[in-house]
């Protein structure tokens, strides 16, 4: 038997998508890099416009006309800001999140259906973010010099709270989750969950095809709220048992290695740095924008804070993507070591190329990719196959 060549095997997997398919995926992915930049610009311009109108200051004055009510004022002003921001950015969102996705065959929703779900998601986000900022402004008032040092912990509290409630209260608003029916797929997932220490009593399939054609699965939640969920897109795209084990094994790796908690810890550190920079930059940016804002503790200055955070977030893209990419690589290793499905994982990865170009340059991958490239991931699986199945392993 001919010795197994992982390089040739990787090339064979990459060739499963036509050259036209690869070109389309590359156009979508690289266009997405520009979308990232334009999204930042749109958010900055809209925030600056809201600031210049003075509407937030008038809202705050209206709430406090009879007496000072800092908590209520913070909530109302921030909520008004978000409502105006959502409405003004809607044309951009329709283009970037619906029309563009639709044009690449990645969105299955009509515009009206997409608008309905977007409105619901925006409402939930606006309320949660307003509550977060109420707490943040309370910190600023209570500790005007050191508020930023406490803000990291506050961010983690809200992130963990969101992770706990999302599978129970939020995700079912957008998709229908049904227990995986008895059969070989469920049996294999349950067996793998038990072997890896992942909760095995909540195995679901959800109608992800309602929104898009993205091939995906996840393990969401924490503690008793954790569950394994597979999109029906996996099965509509012909996922066999090897693929299911490879993909679900990857998601279980995230759970077992507590990537969510490590991510929350990273968010805490980055939040402290971001809020410290915000405290330093607030006055200069306010002056640059000629804003009539008393101080950073004034909720009417929320557009300035959002401009600074949006800019810092854009600049930190390589760092945050690298942190996520390391976790994704670790989850791949977990899948290979526990599911033992290098070909199953590789077959699944090839089906994700349409929305994540397979072979970016090293610089592009470092800056823009929050997952290792598909080519690198498949090559890793093929190298694992050689090391664990022998040099005469079967070709894919």
């Amino acid at each position: 038997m001919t010795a197994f060549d992982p390089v040739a095997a990787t090339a064979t997997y990459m060739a499963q998508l036509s050259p036209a398919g690869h070109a389309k995926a590359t156009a979508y992915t690289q266009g997405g890099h520009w979308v990232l930049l334009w999204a930042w610009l749109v958010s900055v311009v809209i925030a600056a416009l809201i600031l210049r109108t003075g509407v937030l200051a008038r809202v705050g004055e209206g709430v406090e006309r009879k007496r000072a009510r800092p908590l209520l004022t913070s909530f109302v002003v921030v909520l008004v800001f978000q409502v105006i921001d959502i409405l003004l950015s809607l044309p951009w969102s329709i283009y970037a999140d619906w029309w563009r996705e639709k044009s690449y065959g990645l969105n299955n929703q009509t515009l009206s259906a997409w608008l309905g779900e977007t409105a619901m998601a925006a409402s939930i986000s606006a309320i949660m973010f307003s509550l977060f900022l109420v707490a943040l402004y309370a910190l600023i008032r209570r500790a005007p010099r050191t508020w930023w040092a406490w803000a990291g912990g506050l961010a983690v509290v809200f992130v963990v709270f969101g992770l706990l409630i999302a599978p129970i209260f939020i995700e079912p608003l957008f998709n229908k989750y049904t227990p995986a029916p008895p059969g070989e797929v469920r049996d294999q997932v349950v067996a793998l969950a038990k072997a890896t220490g992942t909760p095995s009593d909540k195995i679901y399939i959800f109608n992800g095809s309602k929104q898009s054609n993205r091939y995906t699965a996840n393990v969401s939640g924490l503690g008793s709220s954790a569950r394994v969920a597979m999109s029906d897109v996996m099965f509509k795209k012909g996922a066999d048992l090897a693929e299911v084990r490879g993909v679900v094994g990857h998601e279980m790796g995230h759970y077992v290695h507590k990537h969510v908690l490590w991510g929350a810890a990273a968010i805490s550190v980055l939040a402290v740095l971001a809020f410290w920079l915000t405290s330093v930059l607030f006055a200069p940016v306010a002056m640059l924008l000629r804003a009539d804002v008393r101080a950073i503790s004034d909720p009417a200055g929320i557009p300035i804070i959002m401009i600074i955070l949006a800019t810092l977030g854009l600049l930190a893209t390589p760092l945050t993507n690298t942190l996520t990419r390391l976790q994704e690589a670790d989850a791949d290793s977990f899948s290979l070591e526990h599911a033992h499905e290098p070909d199953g994982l590789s077959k699944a990865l090839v089906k994700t190329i349409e929305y994540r170009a397979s072979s970016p340059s090293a610089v592009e991958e470092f800056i823009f990719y929050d997952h290792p490239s598909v080519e690198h991931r498949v090559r890793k699986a093929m190298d694992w196959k050689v090391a664990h199945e022998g040099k005469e392993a079967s070709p894919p």
Side-chain angles (χ1 to χ4, degrees):
M1 180 181 289
T2 305
F4 181 76
D5 183 354
V7 176
T10 300
T12 298
Y13 272 114
M14 294 302 99
Q16 290 183 9
L17 190 67
S18 68
H22 277 286
K24 183 177 180 181
T26 299
Y28 172 79
T29 302
Q30 293 182 351
H33 306 338
W34 287 104
V35 167
L36 187 68
L37 179 62
W38 282 108
W40 166 79
L41 182 60
V42 168
S43 66
V44 168
V45 169
I46 290 176
L49 286 174
I50 296 173
L51 181 69
R52 296 289 293 172
T53 64
V55 64
L56 300 182
R58 292 194 294 272
V59 169
E61 291 168 0
V63 175
E64 296 192 328
R65 182 164 297 166
K66 294 184 177 180
R67 60 187 175 89
R69 293 183 284 189
L71 292 179
L72 180 61
T73 301
S74 299
F75 182 81
V76 173
V77 170
V78 170
L79 190 60
V80 169
F81 167 75
Q82 289 186 92
V83 170
I84 298 174
D85 178 64
I86 290 168
L87 292 175
L88 291 180
S89 62
L90 185 59
W92 165 255
S93 297
I94 290 174
Y95 163 74
D97 301 327
W98 180 77
W99 184 87
R100 186 171 184 272
E101 296 290 304
K102 196 82 170 176
S103 67
Y104 279 96
L106 296 173
N107 190 314
N108 295 333
Q109 292 182 300
T110 63
L111 179 58
S112 60
W114 179 86
L115 285 171
E117 289 197 355
T118 297
M120 186 161 53
S123 299
I124 295 170
S125 175
I127 292 172
M128 292 293 292
F129 194 55
S130 295
L131 292 173
F132 170 78
L133 285 172
V134 166
L136 183 66
Y137 276 114
L139 272 178
I140 294 173
R141 291 191 301 272
R142 193 171 186 85
R145 293 179 180 274
T146 60
W147 65 269
W148 50 269
W150 301 96
L154 180 64
V156 169
V157 169
F158 272 80
V159 167
V160 172
F161 176 72
L163 292 170
L164 285 170
I165 68 170
I168 303 170
F169 299 109
I170 298 177
E171 291 172 4
L173 296 175
F174 300 92
N175 293 97
K176 183 177 180 180
Y177 289 77
T178 56
E184 203 167 7
V185 169
R186 181 181 178 85
D187 292 345
Q188 289 283 341
V189 174
V190 168
L192 187 57
K194 290 180 177 178
T196 59
T198 306
S200 60
D201 58 334
K202 300 184 185 73
I203 312 297
Y204 290 92
I205 295 175
F206 68 98
N207 59 335
S209 59
K210 171 186 173 186
Q211 287 94 5
S212 75
N213 293 322
R214 293 175 186 256
Y215 183 109
T216 186
N218 64 76
V219 176
S220 61
L222 292 172
S224 61
S225 72
R227 69 178 179 201
V228 178
M230 297 170 281
S231 173
D232 60 349
V233 174
M234 289 178 60
F235 304 100
K236 290 185 177 184
K237 291 191 174 183
D240 57 21
L241 285 175
E243 286 183 52
V244 170
R245 284 173 53 82
V247 171
V248 174
H250 170 97
E251 300 302 332
M252 289 178 180
H254 287 307
Y255 178 85
V256 174
H257 287 178
K258 298 178 173 57
H259 287 161
V260 165
L261 297 180
W262 283 108
I267 288 173
S268 176
V269 174
L270 292 174
V272 168
L273 178 60
F275 286 125
W276 173 72
L277 287 170
T278 299
S279 70
V280 172
L281 295 171
F282 185 88
V285 174
M287 185 178 299
L288 180 66
L289 295 173
R290 300 178 181 177
D292 185 19
V293 178
R294 295 180 301 237
I296 195 171
S297 58
D298 183 355
I302 184 61
I304 300 173
I305 292 178
M306 297 309 296
I307 287 172
I308 295 170
L309 291 178
T311 303
L312 294 175
L314 181 69
L315 295 175
T317 296
L319 174 60
T320 55
N321 280 348
T322 296
L323 293 174
T324 305
R325 198 166 57 246
L326 291 172
Q327 291 186 343
E328 296 298 334
D330 183 58
D332 279 352
S333 297
F334 184 93
S335 177
L336 293 169
E337 293 297 332
H338 292 83
H340 305 152
E341 296 289 357
D343 288 302
L345 183 61
S346 297
K347 284 187 288 185
L349 288 170
V350 168
K351 295 175 182 178
T352 70
I353 292 175
E354 62 182 358
Y355 58 86
R356 191 182 296 126
S358 66
S359 308
S361 68
V363 173
E364 182 184 3
E365 184 173 1
F366 170 73
I367 296 175
F368 296 109
Y369 275 55
D370 58 3
H371 287 61
S373 70
V374 172
E375 185 173 9
H376 287 161
R377 297 172 76 181
V378 171
R379 173 61 189 275
K380 177 179 178 178
M382 295 299 98
D383 287 339
W384 185 93
K385 183 176 179 178
V386 171
H388 293 79
E389 296 183 8
K391 293 185 178 181
E392 295 185 350
S394 301

